[in-house]
């Protein structure tokens, strides 16, 4: 891992400082639209981002150097990032930590698997050269070159767009309440999503970028769907371990290690851990750890979207994914 310069560390360490003159100047040239939480999203390289993630992505391009042995976990937000981080961490480090001593019991998965594109984490990445699992929401077309060109492995998880939207909207509502901002109504947020405007959207372009890349290079990118992993967690944990080059031995299988990992990382278990009920990702700002655990169900969209909204989103997605071979389970 490359070390950042002093000035960069100063900027990266203080999340408040990420808006450098360079970033402010860039932002002033970009189209902007309201985010679900009432703040702004900026359109950069074809996708919509909060300013902090534009700063983060630029810094990741300059300073993050993926190694062949690294694993990068990638998602569109609210597609199961926290879960994928937990499953991967527990699987990769299973011989280092027995389940009852897993750091996942006392530390939120986002702390253990840092985002490469969030200023709050750069210093931590630099301080932990042994960290080999990272997360990001960066779209395929904007990934740092070393992620694409090295032999590091990518695991991408997507989720059906209707549940992803509802999950995202709820999450941003909590952020807005916390920061006393005025969030978009469900109707306004729906309008935005229909136009491709949400953090790291357009959703379909994010997903299609990784879908196509995974078809071209299945040894580099494992493409997972949240609904499949919910339905058959054991099968996918096994697949994940094989893909990452650390398959479960027959003895491990007989001892039920896959079941133990799956149980450790289950929604029910993780949501009730003290650290996930009380902590925050950053000391005095940023989401609460509990915000990452809402319902963990497939099909919750039926409780929020009108039939006109769901029909419209289904038609839009059929159109966008048509010919790609990619389909989603909605319930
Ligand atoms: P819901 O809002 O639909 O409940 P991300 O981790 O990408 O931010 O995604 C958050 C979504 O994943 C939330 O969905 C959350 O409840 C769900 N989730 C979190 N941990 C999970 C787990 N261990 N298993 C399944 N789903 C989980």
């Amino acid at each position: 891992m490359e070390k950042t310069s002093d000035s960069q560390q100063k900027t990266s360490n203080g999340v408040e400082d990420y808006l450098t003159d360079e970033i402010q100047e860039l932002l002033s040239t970009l189209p902007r639209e309201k985010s679900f939480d009432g703040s702004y999203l900026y359109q950069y390289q074809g996708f919509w981002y909060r300013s902090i993630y534009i700063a983060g992505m630029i810094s990741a391009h300059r300073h993050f150097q993926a190694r062949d042995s690294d694993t990068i976990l990638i998602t569109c937000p609210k597609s199961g990032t926290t879960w994928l981080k937990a499953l991967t961490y527990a699987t990769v480090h299973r011989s280092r930590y027995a389940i009852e001593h897993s750091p996942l019991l006392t530390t939120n998965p986002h702390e253990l698997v840092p985002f490469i594109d969030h200023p709050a984490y750069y210093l931590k990445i630099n301080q932990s050269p042994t960290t080999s699992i990272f997360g990001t929401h960066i779209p395929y077309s904007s990934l740092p070159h070393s992620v694409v060109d090295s032999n590091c492995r990518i695991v991408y998880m997507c989720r059906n767009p209707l549940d992803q939207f509802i999950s995202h909207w709820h999450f941003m509502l909590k952020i807005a309440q916390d920061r006393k901002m005025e969030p978009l109504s469900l109707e306004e947020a729906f309008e935005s999503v229909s136009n491709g405007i949400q953090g790291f959207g357009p959703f379909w372009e994010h997903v299609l970028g990784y879908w196509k890349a995974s078809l071209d290079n299945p040894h580099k990118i494992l493409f997972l769907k949240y609904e499949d992993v919910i339905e058959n967690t054991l099968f996918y944990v096994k697949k994940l371990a094989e893909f990452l080059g650390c398959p479960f031995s027959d003895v491990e299988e007989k001892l039920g290690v896959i079941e133990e990992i799956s149980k450790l990382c289950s929604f029910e278990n993780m949501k009730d851990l003290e650290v996930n009920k009380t902590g925050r990702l950053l000391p005095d700002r940023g989401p609460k750890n509990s915000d990452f655990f809402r319902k963990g169900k497939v099909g919750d969209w039926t409780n929020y979207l009108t039939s006109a909204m769901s029909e419209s989103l289904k038609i839009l997605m059929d159109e966008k994914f048509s010919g790609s071979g990619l389909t989603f389970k909605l319930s």
Side-chain angles (χ1 to χ4, degrees):
M1 179 78 46
E2 231 177 67
K3 290 252 180 227
T4 56
S5 69
D6 286 350
S7 61
Q8 182 58 34
Q9 281 200 359
K10 186 166 169 280
T11 303
S12 327
N13 193 16
V15 181
E16 304 296 349
D17 296 339
Y18 75 89
L19 277 177
T20 57
D21 291 348
E22 180 198 6
I23 297 298
Q24 305 233 40
E25 221 166 280
L26 172 65
L27 294 179
S28 71
T29 66
L30 302 177
R32 68 175 195 177
E33 293 285 348
K34 277 280 171 86
S35 167
F36 296 172
D37 66 355
S39 66
Y40 281 105
L41 292 172
Y42 297 83
Q43 193 180 36
Y44 181 62
Q45 298 182 346
F47 288 83
W48 293 94
Y49 305 93
R50 282 172 46 214
S51 55
I52 196 165
Y53 282 106
I54 294 182
M57 187 161 65
I58 290 173
S59 184
H61 271 262
R62 290 180 186 161
H63 306 290
F64 181 73
Q65 194 61 46
R67 295 158 298 194
D68 290 346
S69 53
D70 286 343
T71 298
I72 318 288
L73 307 177
I74 311 183
T75 52
C76 212
K78 315 330 289 175
S79 300
T81 324
T82 319
W83 188 25
L84 180 62
K85 284 183 173 184
L87 287 171
T88 308
Y89 186 91
T91 300
V92 168
H93 295 304
R94 65 186 187 271
S95 28
R96 202 190 303 175
Y97 306 110
I99 294 287
E100 61 274 24
H101 297 125
S102 173
L104 286 161
L105 293 167
T106 49
T107 316
N108 180 271
H110 295 293
E111 289 286 325
L112 296 169
V113 179
F115 283 107
I116 63 170
D117 52 339
H118 193 294
Y121 295 98
Y122 306 148
L123 197 62
K124 177 167 273 192
I125 289 172
N126 290 329
Q127 284 171 334
S128 314
T130 50
T131 303
S132 64
I133 313 172
F134 300 94
T136 184
H137 297 308
I138 297 177
Y140 187 74
S141 53
S142 294
L143 279 176
H145 296 302
S146 66
V147 175
V148 177
D149 297 336
S150 71
N151 287 326
C152 76
R153 292 186 176 91
I154 293 175
V155 182
Y156 183 80
M157 189 185 266
C158 71
R159 188 179 194 186
N160 87 58
L162 283 70
D163 279 331
Q164 188 270 349
F165 166 50
I166 289 303
S167 179
H168 201 178
W169 182 66
H170 275 106
F171 183 78
M172 296 309 272
L173 217 60
K174 284 184 193 152
I175 305 260
Q177 278 163 2
D178 210 34
R179 297 187 189 165
K180 311 218 174 342
M181 291 157 67
E182 194 143 320
L184 298 193
S185 66
L186 182 63
E187 290 71 22
E188 289 166 330
F190 170 77
E191 190 66 27
S192 289
V193 160
S194 303
N195 291 317
I197 303 168
Q198 62 173 312
F200 297 89
F203 173 86
W204 51 87
E205 292 196 1
H206 200 285
V207 174
L208 280 173
Y210 285 98
W211 173 245
K212 288 178 187 156
S214 74
L215 296 179
D216 288 346
N217 201 348
H219 298 297
K220 165 101 181 161
I221 305 178
L222 176 65
F223 189 98
L224 300 174
K225 297 180 194 172
Y226 179 92
E227 297 77 22
D228 292 345
V229 185
I230 286 266
E231 199 170 285
N232 198 346
T233 311
L234 302 183
F235 173 84
Y236 284 99
V237 170
K238 201 171 158 182
K239 191 168 173 143
L240 181 65
E242 282 162 13
F243 176 77
L244 295 178
C246 54
F248 291 96
S249 66
D250 291 346
V251 175
E252 284 181 310
E253 288 208 33
K254 282 202 191 95
L255 287 173
V257 177
I258 306 179
E259 282 83 351
E260 283 183 357
I261 288 176
S262 150
K263 214 164 133 196
L264 169 70
C265 302
S266 69
F267 179 81
E268 291 70 25
N269 188 53
M270 299 224 77
K271 129 175 130 29
D272 283 339
L273 295 173
E274 201 52 29
V275 61
N276 294 329
K277 284 200 288 195
T278 54
R280 257 184 205 271
L281 277 197
L282 303 169
D284 53 359
R285 52 166 289 148
K288 295 183 190 123
N289 290 348
S290 59
D291 294 344
F292 291 93
F293 304 91
R294 192 181 64 94
K295 283 193 185 168
K297 295 259 179 287
V298 178
D300 188 44
W301 59 269
T302 53
N303 296 315
Y304 297 93
L305 297 179
T306 63
S307 52
M309 283 173 170
S310 59
E311 272 321 297
S312 160
L313 269 188
K314 285 181 203 167
I315 291 169
L316 181 67
M317 295 302 156
D318 283 351
E319 199 181 293
K320 298 292 180 187
F321 292 117
S322 143
S324 69
L326 188 55
T327 55
F328 293 96
K329 288 179 193 146
L330 298 178
S331 56

